């Protein structure tokens, strides 16, 4: 009853069975205590951001909202009922190592620590169809279809997303990649100078953003001007907002949801009323997929269509019609495993949720992948149904390195055969994109390698040279 009252006050009530006892006792609960005003307990100082001026003085309660006896009862509840260790993933089909549909291509460059934070196949650009962003080098590289660098631009911070609108490139600069509460993020245009060289605009479109991860251009109020939807993932603080274009480079900010964790958004007029609606995945605290229905005049109605436990580590979602009924279904991944419970979790992987035509969703399919980070549903083999390409950033590299990249071939009736490629075990894939790279009418895949801090990709104790990305070239019919 205490857990229902206090733990459920901010997010879905987590069942003790979702984590092992040590993760509850040493990881999650000590980080939850300060949210309830408990900063010291049982001779232990709980981690908090009380000295962080960026979160403001009112983020934490000034006084404990429950007494120490009640807090101990919550600790006892989670530690007594939770398992000593989590069960292993129940994967009915093993991942086959070998995939004839794709031929692996590597660029001519490789180095010790690739830190690719963004990868994009821009099929509309025949000169620079591939774009890669690197965190350490702070460069955005523009490649041709032969994987040769043809242009680059230095960025003032790590670029994690790019929006293309009317031949304009709008880069989302997260500011500082690691979790923080600062407002260092920016939205900046990438332009061409008189010599045709790509340069970063010296004046940001928006600045002082809280770890933005996606910025999307759209006319959200039907006034003919470009507005911008901003996902500020943040850390303890963050928000989903849209910037209304008032003309003359003036914008008015409208907050749609004042919570951190907005990680992926789609702007689609799902109800065909002429006004653009917004689907968003939140991946912090109250993890879930939210639908913001545009009611006109800049007003949005909010509905949470899917809700996930706060320990899931939601990482990505897409809208895709799997059963061909004309209504968007959802492919969803969870696998962020870098917080307070760094253990392999049986519920990490790829999910499909079917739409009952009224935006009520029910789970139809699940394929377990430790640390799954992204899944993109396309008809890769051209047989008329949706297959799925997925990556993991927190795979079980020691025992199941093939989890790093998994291709789920659609065999019909929601049966998928899992495959991987041996070359995908040479990197740690943080980002992925799909598209027709070489204009042969087939969907290719790019995997972006982020191996900073990884001890899984060393050979004989020495660092190895690895490519910043690999291409899976579609060789199908």
């Amino acid at each position: 009853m205490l857990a229902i009252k206090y733990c459920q006050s901010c997010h879905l009530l987590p069942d003790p069975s979702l984590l092992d006892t040590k993760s509850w006792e040493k990881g999650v609960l000590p980080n939850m205590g300060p949210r309830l005003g408990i900063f010291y307990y049982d001779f232990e100082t709980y981690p908090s951001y009380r000295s962080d001026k960026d979160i403001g003085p009112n983020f934490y309660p000034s006084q404990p909202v429950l007494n120490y006896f009640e807090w101990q009862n919550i600790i006892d509840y989670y530690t007594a009922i939770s398992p000593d260790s989590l069960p292993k993933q129940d994967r009915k089909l093993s991942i086959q190592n070998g995939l004839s549909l794709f031929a692996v291509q590597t660029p001519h460059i490789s180095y010790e620590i690739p830190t690719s934070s963004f990868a994009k196949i821009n099929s509309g650009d025949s000169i620079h169809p591939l774009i890669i962003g690197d965190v350490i080098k702070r460069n955005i590289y523009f490649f041709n279809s032969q994987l040769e660098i043809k242009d680059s631009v230095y960025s003032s911070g790590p670029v994690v997303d790019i929006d293309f609108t009317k031949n304009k490139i709008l880069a989302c600069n997260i500011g500082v990649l690691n979790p923080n509460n600062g407002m260092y993020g920016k939205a900046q245009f990438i332009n061409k100078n008189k010599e045709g060289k790509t340069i970063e605009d010296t004046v940001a479109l928006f600045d002082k953003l809280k770890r933005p991860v996606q910025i999307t251009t759209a006319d959200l109020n039907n006034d003919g001007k470009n507005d911008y939807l901003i996902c500020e993932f943040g850390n303890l603080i963050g928000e989903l907002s849209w910037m209304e274009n008032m003309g003359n480079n003036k914008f008015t900010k409208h907050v749609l949801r004042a919570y951190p964790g907005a990680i992926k958004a789609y702007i689609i007029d799902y109800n065909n009323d002429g006004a653009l609606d917004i689907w968003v995945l939140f991946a912090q605290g109250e993890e879930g997929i939210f639908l913001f229905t545009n009611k006109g005049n800049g007003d949005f109605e909010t509905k949470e269509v899917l809700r996930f436990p706060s320990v899931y580590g939601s990482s990505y979602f897409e809208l895709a019609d799997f059963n061909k009924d004309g209504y968007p279904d959802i492919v969803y991944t969870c696998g962020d495993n870098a917080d307070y419970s760094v253990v392999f979790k049986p519920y990490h992987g790829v999910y499909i949720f079917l739409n009952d035509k009224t935006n009520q969703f029910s789970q139809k399919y699940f394929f377990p992948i430790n640390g799954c980070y992204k899944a993109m549903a396309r008809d890769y083999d051209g047989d008329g149904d949706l297959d799925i390409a997925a990556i993991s950033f927190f795979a079980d590299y020691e025992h199941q390195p093939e989890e790093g990249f998994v291709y789920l071939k659609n065999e019909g009736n929601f049966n998928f055969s899992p495959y991987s490629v041996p070359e995908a075990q040479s990197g740690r894939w943080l980002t992925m994109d799909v598209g027709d790279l070489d204009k042969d009418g087939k969907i290719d895949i790019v995997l972006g390698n982020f191996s900073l801090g990884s001890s899984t990709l060393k050979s004989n104790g020495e660092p190895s040279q690895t490519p910043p990305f690999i291409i899976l070239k579609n060789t199908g019919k």
Side-chain angles (χ1 to χ4, degrees), residues 305-443:
V305 298
L306 281 174
R307 204 175 183 202
F308 308 111
S310 55
V311 298
Y312 258 41
S314 299
S315 50
Y316 189 78
F317 88 111
E318 283 191 343
L319 301 171
D321 187 1
F322 278 89
N323 55 5
K324 301 180 182 178
D325 65 353
Y327 292 85
D329 307 309
I330 289 174
V331 57
Y332 158 84
T333 64
C334 58
D336 187 357
N337 216 13
D339 290 330
Y340 312 128
S341 56
V342 187
V343 293
F344 292 124
K345 301 177 174 69
Y347 42 83
H348 277 177
V350 179
Y351 294 77
I352 296 174
F353 296 93
L354 290 187
N355 192 337
D356 71 349
K357 303 182 181 181
T358 67
N359 291 329
Q360 302 290 326
F361 292 86
S362 59
Q363 182 180 325
K364 182 65 176 180
Y365 176 79
F366 170 62
F367 185 81
I369 301 175
N370 287 303
C372 191
Y373 237 55
K374 191 171 188 177
M376 305 186 77
R378 305 288 189 276
D379 183 9
Y380 294 97
D381 54 10
D383 65 354
D385 54 27
L386 292 174
D387 313 295
I388 300 173
I391 56 172
S392 167
F393 189 60
F394 295 98
D396 183 358
Y397 295 103
E398 183 177 354
H399 302 104
Q400 303 179 79
E402 65 274 9
E403 287 186 319
F405 169 76
V406 179
Y407 175 78
L408 297 171
K409 174 177 169 50
N410 194 334
E411 306 288 4
N413 296 318
F414 292 93
N415 294 306
F416 294 81
S417 297
Y419 298 89
S420 188
V421 293
E423 295 87 347
Q425 299 175 26
S426 65
R428 190 178 181 197
W429 313 114
L430 176 68
T431 182
M432 170 178 65
D433 195 34
V434 303
D436 186 0
L437 180 64
D438 50 6
K439 294 193 176 299
D440 64 354
K442 292 171 287 190
I443 303 172

Side-chain angles (χ1 to χ4, degrees), residues 78-303:
Y78 278 98
T79 57
I81 296 180
S82 56
D84 291 336
S85 61
L86 293 181
K88 294 186 181 300
Q89 292 198 326
D90 181 18
R91 187 179 297 152
K92 294 178 175 59
L93 295 174
S94 59
I95 301 170
Q96 301 300 308
N97 228 333
L99 183 57
S100 60
L101 182 62
F102 296 98
V104 177
Q105 298 178 337
T106 57
H108 305 292
I109 55 173
S110 61
Y111 34 92
E112 185 178 316
I113 308 177
T115 53
S116 300
S117 58
F118 174 74
K120 177 70 178 178
I121 295 178
N122 185 19
S123 303
D125 189 335
S126 59
I127 301 175
H128 305 132
L130 178 65
I131 304 174
I132 302 290
D134 189 278
V135 171
I136 290 180
K137 298 181 182 301
R138 289 199 175 180
N139 273 336
I140 306 170
Y141 296 101
F142 298 84
F143 292 81
N144 63 14
S145 57
Q146 286 74 48
L147 310 186
E148 300 168 326
I149 297 176
K150 290 301 179 181
D151 201 354
S152 67
V153 58
Y154 182 78
S155 174
S156 55
V159 169
V160 296
D161 191 49
I162 288 180
D163 181 61
F164 298 90
T165 304
K166 297 179 181 178
N167 297 321
K168 282 191 169 186
I169 298 177
L170 180 60
C172 177
N173 176 345
I174 196 172
V176 176
L177 196 66
N178 289 337
N180 68 92
N181 299 303
M183 296 186 290
Y184 310 118
K186 300 177 184 178
Q188 291 176 285
F189 283 111
I190 306 296
N191 304 313
K192 296 277 190 181
N193 62 15
K194 294 179 180 179
E195 290 75 32
K197 177 73 174 65
T198 305
I199 57 172
E200 183 181 67
D201 200 327
T202 55
V203 179
L205 176 65
F206 307 113
D207 59 7
K208 297 181 180 179
L209 302 177
K210 296 180 280 289
R211 290 182 77 222
V213 294
Q214 184 183 353
I215 301 169
T216 309
T217 308
D219 183 4
L220 291 172
N221 55 357
N222 281 333
D223 65 353
K225 297 190 288 287
N226 283 336
D227 308 308
Y228 298 92
L229 180 74
I230 304 179
C231 294
E232 292 178 80
F233 189 102
N235 183 27
L236 294 184
I237 54 175
E239 59 195 17
L240 175 74
S241 63
W242 69 282
M243 304 295 286
E244 181 182 0
N245 192 337
M246 311 303 292
N248 298 316
N249 293 320
K250 303 292 185 182
F251 295 89
T252 297
K253 183 175 184 177
H254 304 276
V255 177
L256 292 172
R257 190 167 186 266
Y259 292 90
I263 194 170
K264 183 63 182 178
Y266 298 93
I267 301 176
I268 301 169
D269 180 12
Y270 81 90
N271 54 6
N272 300 309
D273 65 353
L276 292 173
D277 311 298
I278 304 167
W279 300 76
V280 184
L281 171 63
F282 279 80
Q284 288 273 76
E286 175 60 3
E287 298 191 18
I289 295 173
F290 291 76
L291 172 58
F292 298 86
T293 301
N294 195 331
K295 310 304 288 186
N297 300 315
D299 295 324
F300 289 84
E301 179 182 273
T302 305
K303 176 187 177 183

Side-chain angles (χ1 to χ4, degrees), residues 48-57 180-182 184 235-236:
S48 72
Y49 287 83
R50 278 203 295 178
S51 60
D52 189 340
K53 296 179 180 178
D54 289 318
I55 66 169
N180 68 92
N181 299 303
Y184 310 118
N235 183 27
L236 294 184

